[in-house]
Amino acid sequence: MERVWWKECVVYQIYPRSFRDSNGDGIGDLNGITEKLDYLKELGVDVIWLSPVYQSPNDDNGYDISDYQAIMKEFGTMEDFDHLLDEMHRRGLRLVMDLVVNHTSDEHPWFLESRSSRDNPYRDYYIWRPARDGKAPNNWGSCFSGSAWEYDRTTDMYYLHLFSRKQPDLNWENPAVRRDVFAMMDWWLDKGVDGFRMDVISLISKDPAFPDGTPGINGYASFNETANGPRVHEYLQEMRREVLDGHDTLTVGECSGVTLEEARKYARSDGRELNMVFQFEHMDVDADGSNKWTDRRFDLRDLKAILTKWQKGLDTVAWNSLFWENHDQPRSVSRFGDDGPYREASAKMLATCLHFMQGTPYIYQGEELGMTNAPFRDISDFRDLDSINAYHELTGQGVFTKEEMLCRLRKKSRDNARTPFQWSDDANAGFTTGNPWIMINPNYREINAREQLAREDSVFHYYQKLIRLRKSLPVMVYGSYDLLLPEDPDLYVYTRTLDEEALLVICNFSSKPRAFSLPEGWRPGEMEPVIGNYPDPSADLRPYEAIVYRKSNGESLCL
Ligand code: GLC
Ligand code: CA
């Protein structure tokens, strides 16, 4: 397997709105990020992925872009951006930008032109269709509730928006769209950015027949059904040739609806498309089909089956991205671990389980502190349009009562990941001196960076150690993965092997102690612990215990 830096690095995702507010307006900003680079350096990450910082009316917090070459006013100026990039590079940190080109904002000049008349030169930059029987052209639903088609009176046609109506989909069939997108990417690469995380890139090519899909709980077909369209690989190969070739970048595609077969093409190791993809099957482990609004807990056996399928399925032919969290998901410690008495143990256990798999690990801001879901009281506490729209749609249709829906939002809302980063136990968690744009999780008094930096056994220091280990253990990066005990409902146990090197990773996903006997080939005396979340090794496993052993080969590990 080819050895390259983007397989060996650890990426940290920043959601700028909620990271650090430098000027007291309650909204995180670029200068706030620059202030905190030393914190990230201390954690040890190599790459920062910035969620969108471009000019945007903020219908979807920056994922609706009205100018790709300007900075959102609330986040600062282009000078602030250049300064941030310089300060990052000075510290040896690389910057990956969010590339949102499945759609623009409806306030983007291209769309203003496009909607103005049927024969405007920009008309074909977007996807326009006539009504079908006086209604929307097909039954596709927007990811954020309702139909994916919006009627536009000016020209008496519908435009497609797989996300909000303020996020019209670009028409990638049009070569001029591709040319303009590629030119914009070039412009950022010339500035010196080090790569792109490509937003819903699996959706850019649509089936030109626009066939109806299977309706979900709200009556519309899920946007995921339109994924991996007929020309998507052609477009990405063109992007590779036209823009990326000749630049040393990290590229990761957010691939909603991706299958293993498709991922092998997107992230193929011959490097003709992307370096790696985000797949979402493990994020659907607690969903019901296309309905994510459930309140049930996952079954560990399902989670192991999914992750193992991806570990085995991409080994040597493509490359995985590893994540439990991002700005669209609830907090992992609340979802897969325990956010009560075993919060710290389970946060470290989850980190162990993920960081020892094959792939590039992504840490979402606050995950390294074990930040939790937030105690939202009622619908007025939410800011995310996905949550708010789903609440109104599903309670309006009688699918759920208001109380049922609130309970589901508390479990699954994207806002759980968007409450401000907890820097300290000062007022407003040290995030802002003003009024935060979204509620701060009241547990910042116990859970915050200052406290964890000062305490040797904190979640923060555990992450630091995991990141450091990755630099000294090639087997952690390149080793092949094998699952043990697939049917065990509580334990996630796997090995990694590379030539003579071997690791045994043992994670207890339950709050109960568990007896454990070493698998064949592993003998006490011939192995040493590499990392664990309890101070003293013991034969049996304690609640949420994680421990990793390495077969000793005579050499000792220098950390
Ligand atoms: C991606 C982003 C999400 C956004 C959507 C539309 O899924 O991660 O935050 O709402 O695309 O751009
Ligand atoms: Ca600010």
Side-chain angles (χ1 to χ4, degrees):
M1 202 186 306
E2 204 204 339
R3 300 199 169 191
V4 279
W5 66 268
W6 47 261
K7 294 181 180 172
E8 295 168 8
C9 69
V10 175
V11 185
Y12 188 92
Q13 182 192 352
I14 291 182
Y15 194 68
R17 208 174 184 76
S18 302
F19 193 59
R20 160 80 188 142
D21 172 23
S22 70
N23 64 352
D25 65 354
I27 297 173
D29 45 52
L30 296 179
N31 289 336
I33 299 170
T34 308
E35 260 180 45
K36 296 297 184 182
L37 290 178
D38 288 333
Y39 167 82
L40 299 172
K41 203 54 201 165
E42 174 150 16
L43 180 59
V45 297
D46 314 277
V47 178
I48 290 169
W49 150 27
L50 263 194
S51 275
V53 296
Y54 317 95
Q55 186 175 301
S56 163
N58 281 311
D59 188 49
D60 186 19
N61 288 354
Y63 283 91
D64 47 320
I65 296 167
S66 53
D67 185 344
Y68 290 99
Q69 281 156 245
I71 298 294
M72 190 191 299
K73 282 205 186 62
E74 294 156 310
F75 288 177
T77 62
M78 195 55 85
E79 286 69 49
D80 297 336
F81 177 85
D82 292 338
H83 179 59
L84 170 63
L85 184 60
D86 280 350
E87 290 295 314
M88 285 185 57
H89 285 164
R90 215 162 58 76
R91 288 169 177 80
L93 294 165
R94 303 196 208 223
L95 179 60
V96 163
M97 299 293 278
D98 216 311
L99 182 77
V100 188
V101 289
N102 173 69
H103 45 266
T104 67
S105 161
D106 65 340
E107 297 180 35
H108 193 289
W110 296 340
F111 190 73
L112 298 178
E113 292 286 334
S114 183
R115 83 186 325 174
S116 66
S117 74
R118 290 192 185 200
D119 54 12
N120 185 280
Y122 285 92
R123 185 64 171 179
D124 281 339
Y125 268 52
Y126 295 86
I127 300 171
W128 294 95
R129 287 289 179 282
R132 183 178 69 178
D133 310 326
K135 296 198 214 79
N138 69 17
N139 75 348
W140 291 4
S142 149
C143 176
F144 300 146
S145 300
S147 169
W149 296 95
E150 178 75 4
Y151 177 70
D152 200 52
R153 195 180 308 153
T154 318
T155 56
D156 184 30
M157 280 176 96
Y158 286 79
Y159 66 86
L160 180 71
H161 59 90
L162 293 180
F163 295 88
S164 91
R165 64 170 65 88
K166 288 187 65 62
Q167 293 167 299
D169 280 52
L170 282 166
N171 174 21
W172 276 70
E173 300 272 334
N174 181 350
V177 166
R178 305 204 294 277
R179 183 200 60 210
D180 285 356
V181 167
F182 298 160
M184 175 272 284
M185 292 172 72
D186 249 331
W187 188 85
W188 284 99
L189 288 169
D190 283 346
K191 254 189 183 300
V193 307
D194 305 289
F196 298 102
R197 172 268 187 189
M198 302 185 188
D199 192 65
V200 288
I201 204 72
S202 53
L203 304 183
I204 58 176
S205 164
K206 275 84 178 174
D207 182 341
F210 290 92
D212 280 335
T214 323
I217 52 167
N218 67 351
Y220 296 101
S222 158
F223 70 108
N224 265 340
E225 294 206 13
T226 67
N228 315 307
R231 297 182 67 188
V232 66
H233 298 291
E234 175 195 329
Y235 297 153
L236 290 176
Q237 286 167 30
E238 184 180 336
M239 179 192 283
R240 172 63 62 185
R241 284 193 312 272
E242 299 291 319
V243 190
L244 298 168
D245 272 348
H247 294 275
D248 185 21
T249 52
L250 181 157
T251 52
V252 52
E254 188 205 18
C255 289
S256 322
V258 72
T259 59
L260 196 57
E261 289 61 42
E262 287 294 326
R264 289 189 181 125
K265 299 183 203 160
Y266 287 115
R268 46 204 280 168
S269 25
D270 68 3
R272 290 181 58 204
E273 297 186 19
L274 305 172
N275 296 147
M276 55 189 128
V277 299
F278 291 123
Q279 62 82 19
F280 289 92
E281 270 188 69
H282 64 308
M283 292 287 112
D284 291 337
V285 68
D286 47 13
D288 289 331
S290 65
N291 170 29
K292 77 166 180 180
W293 301 112
T294 60
D295 57 2
R296 71 181 174 85
R297 203 165 159 90
F298 73 109
D299 182 322
L300 181 68
R301 284 163 293 202
D302 298 336
L303 184 71
K304 291 192 286 188
I306 294 168
L307 291 174
T308 301
K309 178 178 105 180
W310 284 88
Q311 287 288 298
K312 300 298 282 178
L314 296 194
D315 192 16
T316 70
V317 295
W319 191 249
N320 269 299
S321 331
L322 309 172
F323 71 99
W324 291 132
E325 291 188 16
N326 60 39
H327 64 294
D328 295 328
Q329 300 294 334
R331 290 293 184 175
S332 57
V333 74
S334 301
R335 187 181 193 180
F336 301 114
D338 171 66
D339 59 11
Y342 297 115
R343 187 184 60 80
E344 291 226 335
S346 68
K348 295 172 188 170
M349 183 280 291
L350 288 168
T352 314
C353 185
L354 194 78
H355 283 240
F356 275 92
M357 287 187 202
Q358 190 188 72
T360 300
Y362 287 72
I363 300 170
Y364 177 68
Q365 65 182 44
E367 188 179 348
E368 78 279 19
L369 306 177
M371 277 180 60
T372 68
N373 281 355
F376 298 109
R377 282 155 312 214
D378 57 63
I379 192 67
S380 67
D381 281 340
F382 291 90
R383 296 289 174 273
D384 169 28
L385 86 166
D386 178 33
S387 305
I388 296 167
N389 290 356
Y391 175 86
H392 292 300
E393 179 172 63
L394 298 172
T395 59
Q397 293 177 341
V399 178
F400 299 121
T401 65
K402 289 185 171 165
E403 264 322 304
E404 281 168 347
M405 194 59 202
L406 275 175
C407 161
R408 286 164 160 79
L409 289 178
R410 283 184 202 112
K411 289 223 147 67
K412 291 298 206 55
S413 169
R414 309 196 295 180
D415 279 340
N416 282 302
R418 300 176 179 188
T419 62
F421 190 94
Q422 295 165 202
W423 291 106
S424 68
D425 59 0
D426 295 342
N428 291 324
F431 163 70
T432 181
T433 54
N435 252 333
W437 70 278
I438 187 173
M439 75 176 256
I440 290 180
N441 194 322
N443 65 18
Y444 73 89
R445 292 180 192 88
E446 298 84 54
I447 307 173
N448 63 71
R450 187 162 67 198
E451 189 278 329
Q452 296 206 17
L453 282 164
R455 178 164 55 86
E456 208 33 57
D457 69 349
S458 63
V459 182
F460 177 90
H461 283 116
Y462 194 88
Y463 267 88
Q464 195 182 46
K465 193 165 173 203
L466 277 175
I467 297 167
R468 220 179 281 151
L469 268 175
R470 199 177 167 78
K471 313 286 178 213
S472 50
L473 276 178
V475 59
M476 196 169 164
V477 180
Y478 295 107
S480 57
Y481 162 106
D482 286 286
L483 181 70
L484 306 175
L485 310 177
E487 293 307 324
D488 193 299
D490 300 324
L491 302 186
Y492 196 148
V493 184
Y494 62 88
T495 57
R496 299 288 305 284
T497 320
L498 182 72
D499 307 322
E500 303 300 296
E501 287 276 319
L503 299 172
L504 174 65
V505 182
I506 307 162
C507 297
N508 182 3
F509 270 73
S510 89
S511 55
K512 299 175 301 243
R514 275 287 313 256
F516 180 73
S517 34
L518 287 171
E520 232 189 275
W522 290 84
R523 281 174 292 275
E526 294 173 18
M527 58 191 220
E528 55 178 345
V530 168
I531 191 169
N533 62 354
Y534 278 79
D536 50 319
S538 83
D540 289 336
L541 296 168
R542 288 152 287 190
Y544 291 104
E545 180 156 7
I547 180 139
V548 180
Y549 293 105
R550 169 185 187 241
K551 249 185 209 163
S552 26
N553 58 357
E555 295 161 37
S556 63
L557 252 190
C558 294
L559 294 177

